[in-house]
Amino acid sequence: MKKFSLIAVALFMAIALVACSAVTTDSPTAESSTPAEQSTEASTEASAAEPAVEGTIKIGVSVADQSNPFYIEILDGMESAVQGDDQLIVMDAGFDAAKQITDIEDMIQQGVSVMMIDPVDSNGIQASLNACKAAGIPVVCYNSPVDDASLVASTVATDNFMAGQLIGEALGKALDGKGQVVMLTYNVAQVCADRANGFKDALTKYPDIEIVEEQEIQPGVDTAMPVMENMLQAYPDLTGVFALNDPSAIGCAAAVDSAGKLDQIKIVGVDGSEDGIAAIKEGKMFASASQDPVEIGKQSIEIAYKVIAGETVEADIKVPSALVTAETLKAGE
């Protein structure tokens, strides 16, 4: 009888191990069954207590901000490209540069074979890049580059300068080449600086459009809204707004809507997200430059495997952007 009990316990443990997901993460999200939304404690403990099956590869993934649906789609793309029993070890920085450094150190200790990083701060991430180099772990950046590209095997990202140009040109035409514009930026991340620079480049064709203020913000709906409220008070004749991403643009739209100025002020952002598209359809945003987060994630993992295999890879891989407006949405229906 005792022998039978031991066999039963062993069989139960084997089934439980087989059922384990190939993705672990430290980003807690309630009531979700997707691998990218499991709890922090569970993932860290599981990674430490249950080493990868012999021959499998651990891929470390540092996410800038998993509360943004854009990053969930990137993780979906990554997961689709993971081979066999290989694992994604996912950690969410929550747009906290210090936490991102700690997360990366944790993944180094877990013995990942390659580190995927979307830097919260393109310059501030330097210490993590040095730590990865010292540990012999190659780095692939996704979504946003770092300042010191010499420590990165490859960067896979949207052509963000192009994205900024697209919405800048669209806004310039919509304003008939004149008016006052403000910019909400996050230039410590190179990806956002590229968007802002592309936007400014497009507006050089419209000398009668004045950028009256450019302000750095923490990206997000709740952070953009009060900043926009202050700008509406400072610039009553405002006609246009550049926001670094769709969540920030939606926050701006909420402030403009509350002020009753949606007819006066046109708001543009970057992402082409579902929420951004909904805001465009509702007339709250004028335009967004789309990204393809699933493709970014997929190509990033494909590059990671090549790097692990010692293959030569392109240093800078650009995923094209496209303009999204009410007109383009209607044409695509």
Side-chain angles (χ1 to χ4, degrees), residues 4 14 23 44 56 66 69-70 76 150 159 188 200 227 253 269 286-287 331:
F4 175 80
V23 180
T44 304
T56 64
Q66 208 167 327
F70 176 79
D76 288 342
S150 69
D159 188 336
V188 295
K200 291 176 183 177
V227 173
F286 173 68

Side-chain angles (χ1 to χ4, degrees), residues 11 14 27 47 52 67 69 74 83 106 119 125 148 169 175 190 227 256 261 277 282 293 298 303-304 312 317:
L11 179 60
S27 177
S47 298
S67 68
I74 286 181
Q83 300 174 8
D106 188 359
I125 199 67
D148 187 357
E169 179 65 24
L175 296 180
Q190 188 60 48
V227 173
V256 172
K261 291 189 173 184
I277 289 172
E282 293 168 4
K298 178 175 176 290
I303 290 295
T312 301
I317 299 172

Side-chain angles (χ1 to χ4, degrees), residues 109-144:
Q109 295 303 316
Q110 292 187 47
V112 299
S113 298
V114 62
M115 193 76 71
M116 316 292 294
I117 301 176
D118 180 5
V120 173
D121 185 325
S122 297
N123 181 54
I125 199 67
Q126 184 70 33
S128 293
L129 300 180
N130 290 335
C132 288
K133 181 180 179 181
I137 298 172
V139 175
V140 174
C141 284
Y142 67 95
N143 187 52
S144 183

Side-chain angles (χ1 to χ4, degrees), residues 172-184:
K173 289 180 178 178
L175 296 180
D176 294 325
K178 56 184 181 295
Q180 293 185 345
V181 173
V182 293
M183 297 180 65
L184 276 66

Side-chain angles (χ1 to χ4, degrees), residues 211-259:
I211 299 174
V212 293
E213 186 171 345
E214 184 175 349
Q215 186 168 333
E216 290 272 299
I217 68 164
Q218 190 77 1
V221 176
D222 295 338
T223 49
M225 186 174 177
V227 173
M228 192 69 241
E229 289 171 342
N230 292 336
M231 287 184 167
L232 290 172
Q233 293 293 322
Y235 307 104
D237 297 326
L238 197 64
T239 54
V241 176
F242 163 91
L244 61 113
N245 63 7
D246 280 357
S248 301
I250 290 168
C252 291
V256 172
D257 192 12
S258 295

Side-chain angles (χ1 to χ4, degrees), residues 152-169:
V152 174
S154 183
T155 300
V156 182
T158 300
D159 188 336
N160 284 284
F161 190 85
M162 173 187 179
Q165 286 180 314
L166 288 172
I167 55 176
E169 179 65 24

Side-chain angles (χ1 to χ4, degrees), residues 41-331:
E41 293 183 0
S43 67
T44 304
E45 291 172 4
S47 298
E50 298 173 10
V53 177
E54 185 178 353
T56 64
I57 294 170
K58 284 185 178 181
I59 301 172
V61 183
S62 178
V63 183
D65 181 20
Q66 208 167 327
S67 68
N68 184 341
F70 176 79
Y71 292 101
I72 302 299
E73 292 188 54
I74 286 181
L75 289 173
D76 288 342
M78 287 185 172
E79 187 181 347
S80 72
V82 172
Q83 300 174 8
D85 293 324
D86 294 345
Q87 298 176 336
L88 295 184
I89 310 298
V90 179
M91 290 195 168
D92 179 18
F95 257 122
D96 183 333
K99 184 179 184 302
Q100 185 167 50
I101 291 172
T102 301
D103 288 346
I104 291 170
E105 180 59 36
D106 188 359
M107 287 186 281
I108 290 173
Q109 295 303 316
Q110 292 187 47
V112 299
S113 298
V114 62
M115 193 76 71
M116 316 292 294
I117 301 176
D118 180 5
V120 173
D121 185 325
S122 297
N123 181 54
I125 199 67
Q126 184 70 33
S128 293
L129 300 180
N130 290 335
C132 288
K133 181 180 179 181
I137 298 172
V139 175
V140 174
C141 284
Y142 67 95
N143 187 52
S144 183
V146 297
D147 285 357
D148 187 357
S150 69
L151 295 176
V152 174
S154 183
T155 300
V156 182
T158 300
D159 188 336
N160 284 284
F161 190 85
M162 173 187 179
Q165 286 180 314
L166 288 172
I167 55 176
E169 179 65 24
L171 184 62
K173 289 180 178 178
L175 296 180
D176 294 325
K178 56 184 181 295
Q180 293 185 345
V181 173
V182 293
M183 297 180 65
L184 276 66
T185 60
Y186 184 71
N187 289 334
V188 295
Q190 188 60 48
V191 57
C192 298
D194 288 346
R195 296 170 189 176
N197 290 334
F199 179 80
K200 291 176 183 177
D201 179 73
L203 289 191
T204 58
K205 302 176 184 177
Y206 303 98
D208 292 331
I209 293 180
E210 179 186 5
I211 299 174
V212 293
E213 186 171 345
E214 184 175 349
Q215 186 168 333
E216 290 272 299
I217 68 164
Q218 190 77 1
V221 176
D222 295 338
T223 49
M225 186 174 177
V227 173
M228 192 69 241
E229 289 171 342
N230 292 336
M231 287 184 167
L232 290 172
Q233 293 293 322
Y235 307 104
D237 297 326
L238 197 64
T239 54
V241 176
F242 163 91
L244 61 113
N245 63 7
D246 280 357
S248 301
I250 290 168
C252 291
V256 172
D257 192 12
S258 295
K261 291 189 173 184
L262 282 177
D263 291 338
Q264 173 186 324
I265 301 173
K266 290 179 169 50
I267 301 165
V268 296
V270 176
D271 280 341
S273 63
E274 288 185 11
D275 289 344
I277 289 172
I280 291 171
K281 289 180 176 178
E282 293 168 4
K284 294 181 178 180
M285 279 178 63
F286 173 68
S288 182
S290 72
Q291 302 194 75
D292 190 343
V294 173
E295 186 63 20
I296 290 172
K298 178 175 176 290
Q299 288 197 34
S300 297
I301 295 298
E302 290 172 349
I303 290 295
Y305 277 119
K306 290 181 179 180
V307 170
I308 293 170
E311 297 180 27
T312 301
V313 296
E314 291 183 55
D316 189 17
I317 299 172
K318 298 293 188 187
V319 179
S321 178
L323 183 67
V324 182
T325 64
E327 288 72 23
T328 64
L329 290 171
K330 187 176 180 179

